[in-house]
Amino acid sequence: MSSPAAGAVIALARTPAAAARYDLTPRATVVCAVLGLAAVTSLDLIDGQLGVAFSVGFVLVVLSAATAVQERGFFTVGVLPPVLLVGAMLAIAWAAPTAIEIPKLPDTAGVFGLTLTATIAHGVPLLIGHALALGVIVARILSARR
């Protein structure tokens, strides 16, 4: 007996074109990326501080979004990393401002100042994640032409 899931696995094993039918829409990809980063952020904030787990999780979420989106959503995923990081920093600065530690930042910086400096402080994960996502998009475009 064959189940629908077994049929999907067999179809995925046959050709990459069959695998493309299971890609997420751009909207679903953004929703999944936001939910994934929210889960990573909430797990990282258990100790009250934003740390390395957030940075690694951010890179993995952005990379996963680039591999999961349909071809028509490449632009959306291409601009997603900075928007996702700024949104996450804004949410953290508003909900848990003590979780972001920036040396020599005055206590009167406010939500906007904290968001801006936290985004700059997480520039390396943003750069790595964005470069990897763009690399995946280029690789998918080149492999689709063959």
Side-chain angles (χ1 to χ4, degrees), residues 51-52 54-60 62 81-82 85 89 116-133:
V52 177
F54 174 81
S55 298
V56 172
F58 173 77
V59 171
L60 292 176
V62 169
L85 184 66
M89 290 299 129
L116 183 62
T117 54
T119 302
I120 293 169
H122 287 86
V124 172
L126 174 62
L127 191 78
I128 292 170
H130 205 172
L132 288 174

Side-chain angles (χ1 to χ4, degrees), residues 4-121:
V9 171
I10 292 169
L12 287 173
R14 287 190 187 141
T15 63
R21 292 189 313 218
Y22 300 103
D23 287 344
L24 296 174
T25 64
R27 181 177 292 170
T29 304
V30 170
V31 169
C32 288
V34 169
L35 292 176
L37 191 61
V40 166
T41 304
S42 63
L43 288 174
D44 192 30
L45 288 177
I46 287 175
D47 65 351
Q49 296 298 317
L50 202 60
V52 177
F54 174 81
S55 298
V56 172
F58 173 77
V59 171
L60 292 176
V61 164
V62 169
L63 190 60
S64 298
T67 59
V69 73
Q70 294 173 346
E71 287 184 14
R72 65 184 177 97
F74 285 160
F75 178 77
T76 303
V77 174
V79 299
L80 179 66
V83 175
L84 189 63
L85 184 66
V86 171
M89 290 299 129
L90 180 63
I92 295 166
W94 179 72
T98 58
I100 301 172
E101 276 192 26
I102 306 293
K104 298 182 182 177
L105 184 70
D107 294 336
T108 60
V111 173
F112 178 73
L114 195 56
T115 300
L116 183 62
T117 54
T119 302
I120 293 169

